[in-house]
Amino acid sequence: VTKTVTVNLPTSTPLNATANNGATTVYGYSFTASPGGTTLSADNVGQIDPALLEVTATPNTKVYNGTTAAAKLPTLTSGTLFGGDTMVTSEVYAAPDIGTGLTLIPIATINDGNNGNNYHVVYVNSTLGVIVSDKITINPAVLQYIEALSRTYDGTNIATVKVNAPTNTPIFIGVLPEDTVDLAGIFNTKNVVYASANPVAQPVTLKLAGPQASSYTLVGAPTLSATMTPAALTLSAVSASKLFDGTNAS
């Protein structure tokens, strides 16, 4: 004789459930076998394994803003949300610095009435993140205070740039308050430039320096000028003696 087994769920209180090594053990129900009317009580029976979900980060590109936030959302690439369960997702960069091939990390919060324990989520990072440098300009209020200093030849094209702006006047527009960016310069060439046998000024291009310089691109900067002068060399004769040979060679 075939008997039908039904599960009698409590009506006054919900089932009790606890997590057990990735599974959920359910308490507080009984089995009734029909026909026959026999009820088999069970205090600790049944195990519900979490459903498997795979959440994958989505490639994202953004302009540097000093944070790891990403606008794109991860996608559910495997598995199913059951019933009225929902999932809220977001993703972040592993670091806030500019670059390509950056790691994006997915995040998911499961709303299933069981603190997300009804699901086991596998997270898949993306390495297709991009952060590009932000464009900044020089504060017009400090332009008149920027000067490229002339110097003696030293084999490099590095120029010294001096900013004598009033105290608390920002040099740049667009730099985050927590970032440190300074002005530097480079000569057009590392060599002394002459005109009519005299050293003359040559162009100095402004560039960014400082710990966060690479996170920004300077636009609309003026070209300055400064003079590179020859390095002085002093030659001293060394005392020497020799037999007469009819020459002045030492």
Side-chain angles (χ1 to χ4, degrees), residues 56-212:
T56 303
T58 302
N60 190 85
T61 298
K62 74 167 188 174
V63 176
Y64 170 81
N65 65 358
T67 75
T68 58
K72 295 293 182 67
L73 299 177
T75 57
L76 180 62
T77 48
S78 180
T80 302
L81 288 167
F82 297 98
D85 297 344
T86 59
M87 179 173 66
V88 178
T89 62
S90 62
E91 65 185 48
V92 296
Y93 288 86
D97 305 314
I98 69 168
T100 60
L102 304 178
T103 299
L104 289 158
I105 303 170
I107 302 169
T109 300
I110 306 294
N111 301 307
D112 61 356
N114 192 29
N115 297 317
N117 290 322
N118 293 330
Y119 297 89
H120 175 68
V121 183
V122 175
Y123 294 99
V124 180
N125 294 342
S126 169
T127 56
L128 296 176
V130 177
I131 299 179
V132 298
S133 60
D134 195 10
K135 295 179 180 179
I136 62 173
T137 59
I138 296 176
N139 184 354
V142 305
L143 284 175
Q144 61 181 312
Y145 302 105
I146 302 174
E147 177 187 8
L149 303 182
S150 297
R151 67 165 176 82
T152 303
Y153 170 82
D154 65 0
T156 74
N157 66 346
I158 298 172
T160 300
V161 176
K162 188 175 182 180
V163 182
N164 291 314
T167 304
N168 297 325
T169 302
I171 298 176
F172 304 102
I173 294 176
V175 174
L176 296 175
E178 62 270 23
D179 287 349
T180 300
V181 181
D182 300 312
L183 264 182
I186 54 174
F187 282 96
N188 193 48
T189 173
K190 70 173 185 176
N191 301 315
V192 178
V193 176
Y194 289 89
S196 300
N198 295 312
V200 295
Q202 60 174 294
V204 172
T205 301
L206 293 175
K207 67 172 189 174
L208 300 177
Q212 282 76 45

